[in-house]
Amino acid sequence: MDLSYTDEQNAFRAEVRAFLDEKLPERLSDKVRLRHELTKEDHEEWHAILNERGWLAGNWPKKYGGTGWDAVQRHIFEEETTAAHAPRIVPFGINMLGPVLQQFGSEDQKDYWLPRILNGDDWWCQGYSEPGAGSDLASLKCEAKRDGDHYVVNGQKTWTTLGQHANMIFCLVRTSKEGKPQEGISFLLIDMNDPGVEVRPIVLIDGGAEVNEVWFKDVRVPVENLVGEENKGWTYAKYLLTHERTNIAGVGFANAALENLKRIARLEHSHGRPLIEDPLFAAKVAEVEIALMAMATTNLRVVSAAAEGQAPGAESSMLKIKGTVIRQEINALTREAVGPYAMPFVSEALEPGSNVEPVGPDYALPAAATYFNNRKLSIYGGSNEVQKTIISKAILEL
Amino acid sequence: MKFDLTEERQMLQDGLRRFLADTLDKKAREAVAEGDTGYSQEAWDGLAQMGVIGALFTEDDGGFGGAGFDLSVVFEELGRAGATEPLLEIVPAGGLIARRGSDAQKALIEDVIAGSTMLAFAHGEPGSRYDLSRVATEAKRDGDSYTLTGRKAVVPAAGQAGKIVVSARTSGDVADEDGLSLFLVDADAEGLDIRDYRTMAGGHAAELALDGVTAELLGGEGDAYADIEWATARATAALSAEALGLMEACRKLTADYLKQRTQFGRPIGKFQALQFRMADMLVEIEQARSAVINLCGHLESDRDTRELHVSATKQLIGKVAKLVVEESIQMHGGIGMTQEYDLAHIARRLTMADHRFGDSTYHLGRFARMRAAA
């Protein structure tokens, strides 16, 4: 038992911090801190800065142009970048597709697609969920029929995050209706510019439109865009989920959100005193901070086991549940903290390049929207109820 | 960063788990419950022989452990077994003797480690609740020794101990941190009345009435507060680890029961309503485990850091303990209400952990105040 980092790990942290000091544009960190919407160009700019340093793909091995970091290094990088309000790395190419191609893709696919992810030539999005296939993902219906050297794709995907920026989508499609639903699914890479692909934004409860519906009508996809074997896509999808679940606890995000909450509670006043001095409010903040302190250690326990080569199993389900609930509670307290100024719904002021004057303090504007937006945390990536099912099966053997 | 046990601690854990499982079977527990000391002498002697008491002291003090993670290993296992042997009292009382005692006083530790002398720590009073500085018991100097007069409340193992470490005021007002001193008192000293009783936690405690009891000063006069806080931090870590072990015992009993108990033609563990509640419980127990690690890993930190973790951990432990107890009983149904079934003792003991060294609400407020002051 030793809660301290090694000298090498501390040196690595210092290196990351120095890099962020020097290279993270203040324009971007201000936007992140104030929760302004980032443009596609903002994301691409940050990816390019990281890629230049060789730090874009924290979870890729070196031979594919990744960092080769272990789980503790990735954790330190995550902590430092979130504390510095760096934009998050857009996960679809780096964290999701990359590892699947490395594990299951052909040599040609690896040679072609992986460098393009690093260089920002493609913006990937994820085609998993469908209107009738959410938690029960294997019931998906979007169909790909073989026709010579092509698959012909028909159907619909939904909740496609940042699909409006994407030129490529990796999809789970049905290639067979035989056997169990899981056995007829394939993993297909589809060009969004192909005829028959249509993207429609979905405006969410916070007024933003980060997710989309994607429609496929007789879209012809070359067979070389099939990853791995036909009808084995479910295996690849499950593999992807385990990679998606690295940093699932979101400790860095939670710490940043807690600091923001405390800053606001010092600036807001109640009975003429800073809100943070109101014992009831302070107790609510204390309770979530205490939970976060414990969760951060749970996360380190999993990270440290992963660094020693143990694959995280149902532990990541526990982190997902606790991590998301804590972040949502911090968001709820932040909404509470800003008081009546949670009410103005002037989302234009948060849009890129907006010169709309915000109403109330700058920190108040995104409070309610963030609260509503982050209700997604306990729904996506396998809803918290799905995680509980995993726990009861895997750990409790119920 | 490392979250594995060292080889020595792993051996201690394995040996202790086996010993307790063998020694504290249902029959032994029933004998303890019906007996008049609240513990099993056989178990106590065995624990001493195994070196478990020695693991609570540093090498300098004659033991071979004494670090936070030694405490966590020992007390988690004691909790898992539902043991009532009063080892926990040795953590503050023995710790204070080792920290403040003269060479002659420290010689006592050898007997403690050997298991031949039990200790108790008499600090709380009828009106002090969980405030560590609120002490009304008075100490008066009388030549080379002191006499103590006052009352001490709910002192675990006071009726079984050979020596009692007693706090008393040598100066100052009732809630002052300054002016607190510590004393060693013989359990059979004249003027000391010990009203022994059994507790909800399964062991024994006592109310102490001191009427001019002769006592030996332990360390300097009037400067004991910082050490009382230090000793209480260590005792809180031990109690939190014990609570974690008790939670694990609840979890095991409940998960096993969900697989055995059949209703509506299938094991009740097949019902999603119960699966989800069990999963929630498990997530919270992992939180509790991390909280124990946080406190045990910061016992040697500076005072403010240590005390922040004391309150964070104890708050979380108290909150999770309540959930685990209530959910375990509920998921068991009627059988969970019976004294005969193992859960009853475990659930009572786990619940009572919130009534020592500050409960969940007390520490939530304390944590918030410490954060505001920082």
Side-chain angles (χ1 to χ4, degrees):
Chain A
M1 285 281 187
D2 182 6
L3 301 190
S4 53
Y5 289 94
T6 64
D7 290 347
E8 289 80 20
Q9 287 163 346
N10 284 326
F12 175 69
R13 185 184 292 281
E15 196 185 347
V16 174
R17 206 170 281 183
F19 166 80
L20 291 167
D21 272 351
E22 191 191 345
K23 296 287 187 183
L24 172 61
E26 205 175 317
R27 190 176 56 79
L28 291 184
S29 57
D30 279 350
K31 273 188 162 183
V32 173
R33 191 170 50 79
L34 294 170
R35 292 189 166 274
H36 286 201
E37 210 176 293
L38 295 174
T39 63
K40 184 181 184 185
E41 291 71 28
D42 291 336
H43 285 294
E44 286 174 338
E45 180 183 351
W46 180 234
H47 275 216
I49 292 169
L50 288 172
N51 192 40
E52 196 189 352
R53 182 70 178 76
W55 283 359
L56 179 55
N59 60 332
W60 291 14
K62 279 192 169 153
K63 66 170 171 175
Y64 297 121
T67 59
W69 288 337
D70 68 17
V72 177
Q73 286 174 300
R74 290 203 294 275
H75 170 77
I76 290 170
F77 183 77
E78 194 66 42
E79 270 193 342
E80 290 302 320
T81 46
T82 44
H85 305 289
R88 68 167 193 156
I89 294 172
V90 181
F92 309 106
I94 298 288
N95 294 331
M96 298 183 180
L97 180 62
V100 169
L101 287 178
Q102 288 159 23
Q103 189 72 18
F104 305 106
S106 67
E107 290 310 309
D108 283 351
Q109 286 172 335
K110 287 187 234 181
D111 290 346
Y112 183 75
W113 295 113
L114 293 178
R116 293 177 61 87
I117 293 174
L118 293 178
N119 297 329
D121 297 328
D122 297 315
W123 184 302
W124 286 92
C125 62
Q126 182 187 40
Y128 270 32
S129 295
E130 296 180 8
S135 290
D136 180 14
L137 186 59
S139 69
L140 61 89
K141 290 196 172 69
C142 182
E143 188 179 45
K145 273 196 176 151
R146 185 74 182 257
D147 177 26
D149 291 340
H150 286 81
Y151 287 101
V152 179
V153 180
N154 279 288
Q156 186 196 347
K157 294 291 175 183
T158 193
W159 311 128
T160 314
T161 303
L162 300 184
Q164 70 269 34
H165 299 329
N167 66 309
M168 292 296 298
I169 181 167
F170 55 90
C171 277
L172 293 180
V173 291
R174 181 153 303 286
T175 39
S176 166
K177 289 172 185 162
E178 306 293 315
K180 286 201 282 185
Q182 288 85 349
E183 288 164 7
I185 292 170
S186 299
F187 196 103
L188 209 53
L189 312 177
I190 303 177
D191 190 331
M192 308 269 288
N193 295 316
D194 279 346
V197 180
E198 194 191 340
V199 179
R200 297 179 200 161
I202 304 173
V203 178
L204 292 183
I205 190 168
D206 63 339
E210 63 181 7
V211 295
N212 301 272
E213 293 177 307
V214 181
W215 299 76
F216 302 94
K217 189 161 186 295
D218 295 328
V219 178
R220 295 184 68 81
V221 181
V223 288
E224 60 260 33
N225 281 14
L226 174 75
V227 175
E229 291 175 51
E230 200 176 88
N231 297 330
K232 291 280 163 64
W234 188 252
T235 311
Y236 315 148
K238 280 200 299 191
Y239 180 82
L240 185 156
L241 276 175
T242 62
H243 276 264
E244 188 186 5
R245 285 193 192 136
T246 55
N247 187 37
I248 196 145
V251 175
F253 295 118
N255 279 328
L258 180 67
E259 284 315 306
N260 185 48
L261 165 61
K262 287 181 174 180
R263 188 177 69 93
I264 292 172
R266 281 190 290 270
L267 295 169
E268 285 288 317
H269 283 72
S270 179
H271 300 293
R273 302 285 313 152
L275 179 62
I276 195 81
E277 293 175 19
D278 177 324
L280 279 181
F281 192 81
K284 287 184 179 185
V285 176
E287 187 152 27
V288 74
E289 182 173 359
I290 289 169
L292 175 55
M293 286 165 72
M295 196 271 288
T297 296
T298 310
N299 187 49
L300 286 177
R301 285 161 53 199
V302 174
V303 163
S304 152
E308 284 169 19
Q310 297 171 34
E315 289 80 9
S316 50
S317 295
M318 296 197 238
L319 284 175
K320 204 269 173 172
I321 294 170
K322 202 67 211 179
T324 55
V325 169
I326 286 172
R327 285 171 67 190
Q328 290 175 332
E329 178 61 19
I330 294 171
N331 292 152
L333 287 173
T334 307
R335 173 176 57 71
E336 188 179 328
V338 301
Y341 275 119
M343 291 186 71
F345 195 9
V346 193
S347 40
E348 308 89 78
L350 293 174
E351 282 170 11
S354 164
N355 49 15
V356 172
E357 197 172 330
V359 183
D362 62 358
Y363 58 71
L365 194 57
T370 303
Y371 163 77
F372 284 117
N373 184 275
N374 272 349
R375 299 315 300 168
K376 72 189 175 191
L377 298 178
S378 50
I379 298 171
Y380 70 18
S383 72
N384 286 15
E385 287 68 29
V386 167
Q387 308 301 336
K388 287 180 192 182
T389 307
I390 292 171
I391 291 171
S392 66
K393 298 264 183 298
I395 305 183
L396 297 166
E397 295 167 339
L398 291 178
Chain B
M1 216 166 23
K2 218 169 154 39
F3 294 93
D4 308 329
L5 294 178
T6 59
E7 207 177 312
E8 290 82 4
R9 288 186 184 131
Q10 188 64 57
M11 280 168 63
L12 177 65
Q13 184 183 61
D14 295 345
L16 190 50
R17 192 175 297 184
R18 268 197 309 273
F19 171 78
L20 291 169
D22 292 347
T23 315
L24 292 178
D25 58 9
K26 202 169 175 64
K27 224 173 135 188
R29 286 246 200 83
E30 278 166 8
V32 167
E34 285 160 19
D36 51 11
T37 62
Y39 72 98
S40 148
Q41 190 65 46
E42 186 200 345
W44 182 266
D45 293 342
L47 289 167
Q49 272 164 29
M50 279 182 74
V52 175
I53 301 175
L56 310 180
F57 291 91
T58 63
E59 281 184 32
D60 287 349
D61 296 327
F64 54 87
F69 294 115
D70 296 308
L71 299 182
S72 65
V73 166
V74 168
F75 285 95
E76 184 182 339
E77 291 313 313
L78 291 168
R80 194 186 305 273
T84 56
E85 285 60 41
L87 268 82
L88 198 136
E89 314 319 314
I90 292 174
V91 174
L96 286 167
I97 293 168
R99 194 172 176 90
R100 294 175 68 85
S102 63
D103 286 347
Q105 289 167 331
K106 281 201 261 191
L108 183 63
I109 291 172
E110 202 178 318
D111 295 340
V112 172
I113 290 176
S116 49
T117 299
M118 283 186 166
L119 298 176
F121 178 43
H123 180 55
E125 301 188 353
S128 66
R129 202 172 167 85
Y130 303 120
D131 300 340
L132 292 183
S133 67
R134 190 168 291 272
V135 173
T137 297
E138 281 187 6
K140 283 210 175 96
R141 188 158 185 153
D142 179 13
D144 281 346
S145 72
Y146 288 77
T147 57
L148 309 186
T149 299
R151 291 172 65 194
K152 293 289 174 182
V154 200
V155 184
Q160 290 71 46
K163 289 271 188 187
I164 305 173
V165 174
V166 183
S167 61
R169 188 163 286 291
T170 39
S171 65
D173 286 335
V174 67
D176 285 354
E177 292 179 8
D178 286 341
L180 286 182
S181 303
L182 287 163
F183 299 89
L184 264 182
V185 172
D186 284 332
D188 56 5
E190 208 172 315
L192 173 61
D193 180 66
I194 298 178
R195 189 197 156 195
D196 180 77
Y197 47 83
R198 69 183 187 123
T199 69
M200 272 284 173
H204 276 223
E207 300 296 290
L208 270 53
L210 300 102
D211 183 11
V213 176
T214 304
E216 247 180 69
L217 186 67
L218 191 61
E221 191 185 286
D223 66 354
Y225 180 77
D227 285 346
I228 291 171
E229 200 180 57
W230 168 85
T232 305
R234 289 174 59 81
T236 304
L239 181 61
S240 299
E242 187 189 340
L244 174 64
L246 287 157
M247 290 172 196
E248 291 285 5
C250 285
R251 165 197 160 172
K252 183 165 191 318
L253 283 171
T254 308
D256 288 349
Y257 190 74
L258 292 182
K259 283 180 242 182
Q260 285 162 18
R261 170 71 171 170
T262 302
Q263 288 286 274
F264 305 102
R266 50 181 169 160
I268 58 174
K270 292 288 172 203
F271 293 106
Q272 198 177 46
L274 298 189
Q275 289 178 351
F276 277 23
R277 293 170 75 162
M278 197 64 211
D280 285 335
M281 198 165 118
L282 199 69
V283 170
E284 294 304 324
I285 293 175
E286 288 308 316
Q287 283 282 91
R289 180 169 296 283
S290 290
V292 169
I293 291 172
N294 283 346
L295 177 53
C296 289
H298 288 97
L299 283 179
E300 317 296 327
S301 301
D302 63 276
R303 183 265 166 197
D304 287 356
T305 306
R306 182 192 73 208
E307 291 303 318
L308 193 75
H309 281 285
V310 164
S311 284
T313 296
K314 195 61 172 43
Q315 188 274 339
L316 192 136
I317 289 287
K319 188 173 132 178
V320 176
K322 180 170 181 286
L323 175 94
V324 169
V325 164
E326 293 173 359
E327 288 293 88
S328 293
I329 294 173
Q330 179 68 24
M331 284 191 269
H332 272 88
I335 191 75
M337 294 294 300
T338 61
Q339 172 144 297
E340 191 194 352
Y341 184 61
D342 288 348
L343 182 64
H345 166 62
I346 300 287
R348 287 195 301 229
R349 191 164 177 84
L350 178 51
T351 302
M352 289 304 117
D354 205 35
H355 294 261
R356 289 195 78 181
F357 312 130
D359 58 28
S360 183
T361 307
Y362 175 88
H363 281 293
L364 184 63
R366 185 169 180 261
F367 181 93
R369 286 191 298 276
M370 280 191 282
R371 267 292 186 239

